[in-house]
Amino acid sequence: MTLPIHTALIGYGMAGRVFHAPVIQAVPGLRLVTIQSSQPEQVRSDWPEVWVSQTFREVVENPQIDLVVIATPNHTHFELAQSALQAGKHVVVDKPFTLTAAEARILQEEARSRGRFLSVFQNRRWDGDYLTLRKLLYQGTLGEAIYFESRFDRYRPEVQNRWREQAGPGSGLWYDLGPHLLDQALELFGRPLAVYADLARQREQAQTPDYVHVLLRYPRLRVVLHASALVPGGSPRFMVHGTLASFVSSGLDGQEALLKQGLRPGAAGWAPEPCEGWLYHPHRAAERVPMEPGDYRRYYEGVRDAIRQEGPNPVPPEQAVRLMEVLEAALKSAQEGREIPLEVNG
């Protein structure tokens, strides 16, 4: 009988409470045994079978813990992940992996030298609309992609008193939603030739960027990544134009909404609402596209299999390093107001 992978969750804010804890518990072979949180009563109410750890040190010094999942504020990711790796634990880090590419490389080398599993949580690779888009591209339905636009637009006119919207390292939309947008683009198209970014604070009292517009330049393809907190109306989630056809989707994968309601994957009532997608051809009517089912459990299934050496790392650290390099280049572009070239083989 294969023993379960005993898992610790560090942090019980939105990421830990909504995404990590319920998805981990829904994956056979993973067992969530402890959560370290400053909200012990909330944890005990939600997860009575899980013990609450008081400190991070208590977690990493526990020999029963195999895997440490870090879902804390962005600026703490590097230090906590490094400490967990040095304690001999396998590690999953919520996005963004780190704040800099240099930190990402250090963690990559730490994991390699210690023979430990290290991965970054990029759950949006398992959104139904993204899986559908990837399938269309790989099948050649769209032909060669010439223009790709990916948007995360919201309407949140009031600045909230939470670390993501307050001034400080790792805050703002580019560190919050940018890693999702970048990860999907880089997985589909690889490293761009150059990046140009416009980051702005548009809301009254905004302390950190709440508007993101980034252009990734490839030889023929142009990729636009966009996010804003001031979009009252709708906008496409994906818009892709190819040499043969176009694909446009709207709405967000329904998994997040159900997780926020407290439902757990696979439990009664778990039926995520699919997004809507349309295929446009030059000489015939628009065609509604059946959407692939999204499933965030597939990420943690991949984590389980990789730790057991039964499959590949679903999001290996070298991909996280690549992302951080482009994310940093975009920050430099926004600061200097110019396009930043990238080393293609960097």
Side-chain angles (χ1 to χ4, degrees):
M1 178 180 177
T2 305
L3 294 175
I5 296 168
H6 290 171
T7 303
L9 174 61
I10 311 300
Y12 200 65
M14 177 181 169
R17 176 178 53 84
V18 173
F19 291 100
H20 292 279
V23 177
I24 290 168
Q25 281 293 72
V27 173
L30 296 182
R31 179 177 297 168
L32 183 61
V33 295
T34 185
I35 298 174
Q36 185 212 337
S37 172
S38 59
Q39 308 174 71
E41 295 308 315
Q42 181 67 56
V43 174
R44 293 187 183 103
S45 173
D46 294 345
W47 303 96
E49 71 277 22
V50 170
W51 86 74
V52 181
S53 296
Q54 300 302 310
T55 66
F56 178 74
R57 182 54 51 191
E58 176 188 347
V59 172
V60 296
E61 290 181 350
N62 186 332
Q64 296 181 356
I65 299 299
D66 305 304
L67 171 65
V68 173
V69 176
I70 296 169
T72 54
N74 296 344
H75 70 277
T76 67
H77 288 182
F78 171 72
E79 181 180 357
L80 294 178
Q82 186 178 46
S83 296
L85 289 168
Q86 290 172 345
K89 307 303 182 185
H90 303 295
V91 175
V92 164
V93 186
D94 197 76
K95 61 80 199 166
F97 189 43
T98 54
L99 296 189
T100 69
E103 290 178 343
R105 294 187 198 100
I106 291 171
L107 291 185
Q108 179 185 24
E109 176 57 25
E110 193 81 58
R112 188 204 63 77
S113 64
R114 296 180 181 275
R116 298 291 87 183
F117 170 88
L118 174 64
S119 184
V120 61
F121 183 65
Q122 287 289 4
N123 60 302
R124 296 289 177 185
R125 290 192 187 187
W126 289 272
D127 277 351
D129 53 356
Y130 175 70
L131 293 172
T132 303
L133 167 61
R134 189 175 68 175
K135 181 179 178 181
L136 291 173
L137 286 170
Y138 289 176
Q139 288 180 339
T141 303
L142 306 181
E144 179 189 352
I146 297 299
Y147 179 83
F148 174 86
E149 186 170 333
S150 176
R151 305 176 70 102
F152 267 124
D153 289 331
R154 297 166 170 174
Y155 185 59
R156 295 179 178 175
E158 302 297 327
V159 176
Q160 302 298 309
N161 184 24
R162 56 181 192 149
W163 66 263
R164 295 180 189 276
E165 298 187 52
Q166 304 302 311
S171 64
L173 271 190
W174 185 230
Y175 274 98
D176 182 19
L177 299 178
H180 287 313
L181 296 168
L182 261 181
D183 180 70
Q184 292 177 334
L186 295 178
E187 190 191 24
L188 290 176
F189 306 115
R191 188 181 180 89
L193 299 174
V195 57
Y196 177 82
D198 180 18
L199 309 182
R201 287 181 275 183
Q202 293 189 324
R203 293 176 297 177
E204 293 185 15
Q205 312 302 322
Q207 300 182 43
T208 191
D210 54 12
Y211 169 92
V212 168
H213 192 83
V214 175
L215 173 65
L216 305 181
R217 181 167 61 82
Y218 295 80
R220 294 223 303 169
L221 169 71
R222 296 296 182 265
V223 169
V224 171
L225 309 177
H226 186 94
S228 172
L230 279 178
V231 181
S235 59
R237 172 67 184 90
F238 290 116
M239 183 166 60
V240 192
H241 301 306
T243 54
L244 298 179
S246 298
F247 172 75
V248 179
S249 71
S250 59
L252 288 175
D253 185 286
Q255 294 175 86
E256 180 174 346
L258 295 183
L259 289 167
K260 285 181 175 178
Q261 294 172 24
L263 294 178
R264 300 181 184 181
W270 182 261
E273 188 73 21
C275 302
E276 184 175 290
W278 290 86
L279 195 61
Y280 297 89
H281 297 276
H283 305 299
R284 63 176 190 261
E287 171 187 344
R288 190 159 186 170
V289 179
M291 303 301 281
E292 295 290 309
D295 193 344
Y296 296 155
R297 289 172 293 185
R298 288 168 57 186
Y299 171 78
Y300 271 113
E301 290 169 357
V303 169
R304 173 201 63 202
D305 294 347
I307 290 174
R308 291 177 173 173
Q309 299 185 341
E310 297 173 353
N313 188 332
V315 187
E318 54 266 27
Q319 294 180 3
V321 169
R322 178 184 65 177
L323 186 150
M324 291 309 304
E325 290 171 346
V326 181
L327 187 145
E328 271 193 332
L331 290 175
K332 183 177 181 181
S333 171
Q335 291 164 358
E336 299 182 3
R338 66 182 181 93
E339 182 182 81
I340 303 297
L342 297 168
E343 295 181 15
V344 177
N345 296 319

